[in-house]
Amino acid sequence: MPDPAPAPSRVPDSLRALRHRDFRLFFAGQGVSLIGTWMQSVAQGWLMHRLTGSAMMLGLLAFAQFIPVVPLAMLAGVIADRTDRRRMLMWTQGLLLVQALVLAVLVSLDVVRPWMLLSLAVIYGIVNTFDLPARQSFVVELTGKEDLPNGIALNSAAFNMARILGPAVAGVMLATIGEAGCFWLNALSYVAVLVCLAMMRGAPAAAASAAGSKRLTMREGFEYAWGNRSIRHLLVLLAVISGLGFQFSVLLPVYTRDVLKASADVYGWLFSAFGAGSLVAAVRMAVTRERWALRRHLLIGLIAAGIGLAGFAWARWLPAMMGFAALAGFGLILYVSSSNTLIQLTVEDRYRGRVMSLYTLFFIGTAPFGSLFAGAVAERWGAPIATSICAIVLLGGAVWVCFRLREVAAREAAEREAAERVPEPESPA
């Protein structure tokens, strides 16, 4: 639960979630760890492309990392609803530390092989599947429902600041000392999360009742989400957009090595450019509260991301590519953060872990298949064609959102008109 006495309101309103001590600890630990996570992600893709030279293997690496979400996401949501989420996060973060250590040792000893990278990616995916719904649903315990949108936005800002710093540092390290340094620093960064989690003093949220089978509990969570029209539409659109529209990032080593004929530092700059645009979107989200503003952000985000990716696919001048990458990053995070916030504002607390596990399933569980598709298209027709397909999917999603917003506006206007026509009860004589 959130701190009973948040810090005084000297904290600006745009940072209001930081009034809560436990959220400040969570924010600080995540900020450090996410830099390491992005460093590992960048170095892992670069290492696979250096070992194999294959775009298809980059797609397979992403597939291996994300595929565990498909069978395990709902179970992870059940566990997140039935256990102390802080303790669950300590376990998952500790296991991710071990995974990073193993990867660092293998690369340092120069014995790493592609199959080892794939195996460790699967392990990362399994642990991350349990980490994500616990982390997503933990925020409301730290901030309370009133400050939840700001907490989500600040988390997104931390993620995207790391998305700038992590790849930039990784690019320099890859060009100087190689991949191993990135993996060692990532392992060290998990210590910050574990220390911050251990320092939290808020009372754990009450776990869900253990009555009933896990199967029944998972089914109840799915039926609740599917029966809520708003949540259902947000999840279905997210699955399509994530599965086919987000997979450009697995091809960045191809753009760097094959299209631009550049080195690892340029690879880091491209990642950081996407992160810079994403950070701007996260800052915008920090001051957004009104539900209709969030809905409009869905449309604006998809349009910006589609235009950005289309430009990135065919530009051949690095500054132009970085500009289009920033626009795409802005749009993608504006869309994703708005979807996340709308779902969390709608869901009942007792279903939060299970609905966020569905969010993970639809957001990340579709990515393995999209990654394979993007890798196969890039292998056959080139990375620009694969990225252009991603852009078309995003713009198609924007068209659908435009029609949905018109329907929602008309329905809400009709509801208001009906409410105004209801006569007030006569007062007694």
Side-chain angles (χ1 to χ4, degrees):
M1 61 189 298
D3 302 335
S9 58
R10 289 178 299 173
V11 176
D13 189 60
S14 60
L15 304 174
R16 59 192 177 275
L18 293 176
R19 296 179 301 162
H20 305 274
R21 175 186 178 274
D22 284 354
F23 181 79
R24 292 196 301 273
L25 287 168
F26 183 75
F27 181 79
Q30 287 292 305
V32 173
S33 177
L34 285 168
I35 293 174
T37 299
W38 274 107
M39 291 178 67
Q40 174 163 308
S41 177
V42 169
Q44 188 173 256
W46 187 260
L47 177 59
M48 178 62 87
H49 202 245
R50 179 172 67 81
L51 292 175
T52 66
S54 168
M56 186 65 195
M57 288 300 292
L58 290 172
L60 186 59
L61 179 65
F63 179 88
Q65 183 166 304
F66 296 133
I67 193 61
V69 169
V70 176
L72 297 176
M74 287 301 293
L75 175 61
V78 170
I79 295 175
D81 274 341
R82 296 163 74 100
T83 61
D84 178 353
R85 289 165 186 154
R86 183 173 74 102
R87 185 174 303 166
M88 183 173 174
L89 285 171
M90 293 189 75
W91 275 102
T92 57
Q93 294 291 303
L95 291 171
L96 290 172
L97 186 156
V98 173
Q99 187 266 356
L101 279 176
V102 172
L103 185 53
V105 170
L106 289 173
V107 178
S108 296
L109 296 176
D110 198 25
V111 296
V112 68
R113 298 292 180 270
W115 70 266
M116 297 178 187
L117 279 177
L118 294 173
S119 300
L120 286 169
V122 171
I123 293 171
Y124 177 93
I126 292 171
V127 179
N128 199 44
T129 299
F130 288 89
D131 182 83
L132 278 171
R135 185 151 34 100
Q136 297 268 11
S137 55
F138 190 44
V139 175
V140 72
E141 296 180 27
L142 305 177
T143 65
K145 201 128 186 189
E146 181 181 351
D147 292 333
L148 175 62
N150 188 247
I152 294 172
L154 290 179
N155 262 358
S156 179
F159 177 87
N160 290 296
M161 179 62 76
R163 197 177 183 183
I164 298 172
L165 296 176
V169 174
V172 173
M173 295 190 70
L174 288 172
T176 54
I177 63 174
E179 300 93 355
C182 297
F183 301 140
W184 283 113
L185 283 178
N186 182 44
L188 184 62
S189 73
Y190 285 113
V191 176
V193 184
L194 293 171
V195 169
C196 289
L197 287 169
M199 290 174 63
M200 290 180 184
R201 62 190 181 202
S209 170
S213 68
K214 285 185 172 59
R215 181 179 176 184
L216 178 62
T217 308
M218 284 190 282
R219 189 179 69 208
E220 286 176 343
F222 181 83
E223 289 174 350
Y224 168 79
W226 214 246
N228 186 301
R229 188 178 181 183
S230 297
I231 294 176
R232 182 175 72 247
H233 285 158
L234 287 167
L235 289 176
V236 170
L237 179 63
L238 184 69
V240 175
I241 297 300
S242 176
L244 294 173
F246 274 49
Q247 303 316 313
F248 65 93
S249 61
V250 304
L251 302 175
L252 290 186
V254 179
Y255 278 101
T256 305
R257 292 169 62 99
D258 299 343
V259 176
L260 293 174
K261 308 297 182 185
S263 58
D265 55 344
V266 172
Y267 177 47
W269 295 345
L270 290 177
F271 254 113
S272 295
F274 280 102
S278 301
L279 181 61
V280 174
V283 171
R284 177 71 187 91
M285 287 293 300
V287 296
T288 302
R289 298 190 190 187
E290 200 265 327
R291 193 177 288 261
W292 258 105
L294 293 169
R295 291 168 177 166
R296 286 192 294 270
H297 283 172
L298 298 176
L299 178 61
I300 295 168
L302 289 171
I303 292 173
I307 294 171
L309 282 189
F312 179 84
W314 299 103
R316 292 298 177 267
W317 183 44
L318 181 60
M321 292 181 75
M322 293 179 68
F324 282 121
L327 179 62
F330 170 83
L332 290 171
I333 294 305
L334 194 68
Y335 165 73
V336 170
S337 296
S338 298
S339 294
N340 188 325
T341 304
L342 285 167
I343 290 172
Q344 293 231 43
L345 287 174
T346 305
V347 68
E348 295 178 33
D349 285 339
R350 62 195 174 114
Y351 293 109
R352 189 173 301 277
R354 283 163 287 177
V355 170
M356 294 318 296
S357 72
L358 277 172
Y359 176 89
T360 301
L361 176 62
F362 282 71
F363 182 31
I364 297 178
T366 54
F369 309 101
S371 299
L372 282 181
F373 174 77
V377 171
E379 188 88 6
R380 178 66 178 84
W381 291 291
I385 295 294
T387 306
S388 297
I389 294 173
C390 295
I392 292 169
V393 171
L394 292 168
L395 293 173
V399 172
W400 186 83
V401 168
C402 185
F403 283 110
R404 282 288 306 139
L405 291 182
R406 293 176 62 182
E407 290 178 8
V408 171
R411 185 177 71 246
E412 292 185 355
E415 290 171 355
R416 284 194 301 270
E417 185 178 339
E420 291 169 358
R421 286 202 302 264
V422 176
E424 295 184 5
E426 296 183 3
S427 57

